[in-house]
Amino acid sequence: MRKSGPPKGLIAYLVLELLEEKPRYGYEILKEIREISGGHWEPSYGSVYPILYKFEEKGWAERIDREDEPDRKYFELTDAGHAELADRRESCTEKARDFADVILGFFHVYAAFSTDDRFEIPDRDGEWRFDESCSAWIVEQLARHHERYFDAEFERIEATPEEFYERHGIESADGDAGAPADADDASNPEES
């Protein structure tokens, strides 16, 4: 169970990956991350530029001057930056659970707004609603994106979280292979 938003270091990792591809400036990085997210997320200027300056301070990136755009601050990865990226790629294998927790956690909140009597959020014309139709659309989009990115038709997985973890050798948050991450997963496997 995550206790905060997106996995720590996500933006820094994306910045390193994008700088490896080619030298970039901050706003270009923001637009690229927005595109990678399918237009659903864009970090703030206040998160990307400090990362670039930190990378420069640590020697992972350096500013370059471009005659065709003298007012823009372009950054490119250094040899030390390539080494840092290699280390972060290796540590990304540990982030998959964090990503899944964020996705599932926000969907659970969305569904709770739709179904829990404690929340009384009014519907507004022309806006997304916290209801079954919009929830179904979110799930449909996830299935379509799965099919697009993995070039495979989506098939329902009937396993409980415990069965899924055990089948794929995934450890639960408490370190037991096959055990659900928390009591909510065990008591209501269809919600996960």
Side-chain angles (χ1 to χ4, degrees), residues 67-98:
E67 290 182 19
D68 60 330
E69 295 182 277
D71 295 335
R72 288 217 166 113
K73 297 174 187 171
Y74 276 85
F75 292 82
E76 70 179 349
L77 225 48
T78 62
D79 289 343
H82 285 282
E84 178 63 21
L85 175 56
D87 288 345
R88 288 187 186 229
R89 282 177 175 156
E90 192 64 31
S91 68
C92 268
T93 60
E94 303 161 7
K95 302 276 187 200
R97 178 182 303 278
D98 291 343

Side-chain angles (χ1 to χ4, degrees), residues 102-167:
V102 169
I103 293 164
L104 291 172
F106 280 117
F107 182 76
H108 277 276
V109 172
Y110 189 95
F113 283 178
S114 304
T115 59
D116 191 315
D117 292 338
R118 293 176 290 179
F119 305 107
E120 297 181 22
I121 301 171
D123 291 344
R124 290 223 166 100
D125 288 342
E127 297 289 337
W128 276 72
R129 296 174 306 283
F130 293 103
D131 66 10
E132 186 175 355
S133 296
C134 288
S135 173
W137 178 245
I138 292 169
V139 173
E140 174 65 26
Q141 290 306 301
L142 288 172
R144 287 181 186 188
H145 284 68
H146 170 85
E147 291 173 342
R148 174 180 165 214
Y149 287 114
F150 296 102
D151 194 25
E153 190 171 324
F154 180 76
E155 293 182 30
R156 295 284 308 266
I157 297 173
E158 299 299 331
T160 64
E162 181 178 37
E163 292 166 339
F164 181 82
Y165 294 160
E166 187 172 327
R167 183 177 309 138

Side-chain angles (χ1 to χ4, degrees), residues 11-24:
I11 298 171
Y13 170 72
L14 289 170
V15 170
L16 285 168
E17 286 285 4
L18 293 170
L19 290 179
E20 184 189 50
E21 187 177 56
K22 68 179 186 176
R24 296 178 188 266

Side-chain angles (χ1 to χ4, degrees), residues 1 97 101 162 165 170-183:
M1 170 178 55
R97 178 182 303 278
D101 283 347
E162 181 178 37
Y165 294 160
I170 298 171
E171 290 187 5
S172 68
D174 60 11
D176 294 333
D182 60 35

